[in-house]
Amino acid sequence: MPIAKWMSSVMETRRRRRLFLAGLVTVVAVFIAVIPGKRGWFDVGVYYGAIHHWFEDGGSLYDYIKPDSTYGFTYPPFAALCMLPMLLFTWHQAVAVSVVLTAFASAVLLYWLVDPIAQRQGWNRPFTFVIAACMFALLEPVRDTVSFGQVNLLLLALVYVDYRLLTTGRERWAGFAIGLAAAIKLTPAIFIIYLLLTKRTRPALIAIATAATATLFAAQVDPTQSLVFWTDALLDTNRVGVFAYVSNQSLQGVLARLSPPTPGTIFWAIAVAATLWIWFKKIRQSDDRSGFALTGIIACLISPITWVHHLVWVIPALIIMGDTALLAPPERKARAKKLAIWLYAAMCSSVVWLWGANSSGIYGFIGSNTYVWVTLILFFTVPVVTAQSATQTSLLPTPRLALQSEIAARPRRVSELIRR
């Protein structure tokens, strides 16, 4: 084939890709813009109001209640210190900064999780990244996190900084990011337990030291607020919300929505103990890719309250399920793909809100807990992959394997371009 004709074919393929991506981005953007359920950056409003109430008005951080609501600041005092830059911005600027930071954290997270798959499969990496970003944006936990102005994706990306260090041979530096995330919000502290259980002593000690230092620093800045949080606000579950509210997609939420609600905490304690035991058995056999994903899942299941936007912690598991479908043997590939598609579609559907007013009856029980069922399915089906087998299948993003995959993929790409 003459070089001019080959170049023309290449350019035509690139134009088609650009047109496809432009159309996909437009469709996703329009869908997100018109779909109901906007949250009006409610949580940014809580953060913004609480910080001003505390720092400028001299009020108590945990006495602040957002106007026309019953919600106040629920994070440790160190989180408030991290949010002090909000004092420099107007309300609309604070919203813009929240969106930009969340978008940046999401892009970094997607690059770390999706790019190794694209390299191994020999896919066009920028093309794959844009498609993954569009699919990511459609997930309801992501939409809610952005619309609420929540910090979930920022913390998830922060935790995965340590994942990146652990899986690229820089374990000596790992632990700091998890410790910082745990000092901002308690949920990521489960990853410190993961490090301890997988015998990552140095990263675990670094994480503990970081979380403790940040917490003590906040106590030095304002001892009163620290005392209030650790002795009162932390134990007051009424500050967080109602267990039975349909947005609570945790094991506790399932029990609370039973009719009549399951009495006491004994059933919840049994459910939590059982899932923790299974998690412990699975992570002891797994590489960090599956281990981190399973730990994000367990955090959502055992937390007393897991709002829909907290479910961003299960996204790594969804990505693993999609990758598992790609790697499945021919006799199981179709079934694996269907499962991955159904789980993804369920997490985009917002279906739980159909039972927002009344979750009674068998259909209410099934439908109102849809995201819990998805999370449980992921918990039991995410493959436990040993470090050795992960390396053999190029699941770990090591530079050498990435280079080999890139070299192997080039002939396929050129032949595809020539055919087109």
Side-chain angles (χ1 to χ4, degrees), residues 270-338:
I270 293 172
V272 166
T275 51
L276 282 173
W277 175 248
I278 297 169
W279 169 68
F280 171 72
K281 299 291 287 185
K282 289 170 79 75
I283 64 171
R284 288 293 296 270
Q285 307 171 48
S286 182
D287 71 312
D288 282 319
R289 184 177 187 247
S290 297
F292 268 65
L294 288 167
T295 304
I297 289 174
I298 203 70
C300 294
L301 289 173
I302 69 173
S303 175
I305 287 186
T306 298
W307 300 137
V308 169
H309 52 78
H310 293 155
L311 292 171
V312 295
W313 292 96
V314 310
I315 291 176
L318 278 173
I319 293 174
I320 290 177
M321 289 300 293
D323 192 30
T324 300
L326 295 172
L327 295 172
E331 64 273 14
R332 298 211 312 259
K333 188 177 288 288
R335 181 182 300 176
K337 284 183 177 180
K338 287 179 181 178

Side-chain angles (χ1 to χ4, degrees), residues 112-122 163 287 289 323 327 385-406:
W112 286 339
L113 294 177
V114 174
D115 193 62
I117 300 172
Q119 291 187 60
R120 190 194 66 235
Q121 293 294 124
Y163 163 79
D287 71 312
R289 184 177 187 247
D323 192 30
L327 295 172
V385 184
T386 64
Q388 180 180 2
S389 62
T391 303
Q392 290 171 350
T393 56
S394 184
L395 291 177
L396 297 181
T398 58
R400 181 180 177 185
L401 288 170
L403 180 61
Q404 291 174 345
S405 178
E406 179 71 17

Side-chain angles (χ1 to χ4, degrees), residues 60 62-63 223-235:
S60 174
Y62 298 101
D63 283 345
T224 301
Q225 302 309 313
S226 292
L227 182 65
V228 169
F229 177 78
W230 295 107
T231 62
D232 182 28
L234 175 62
L235 304 176

Side-chain angles (χ1 to χ4, degrees), residues 1-8:
M1 177 182 292
I3 188 66
K5 187 175 181 180
W6 180 81
M7 287 296 295
S8 175

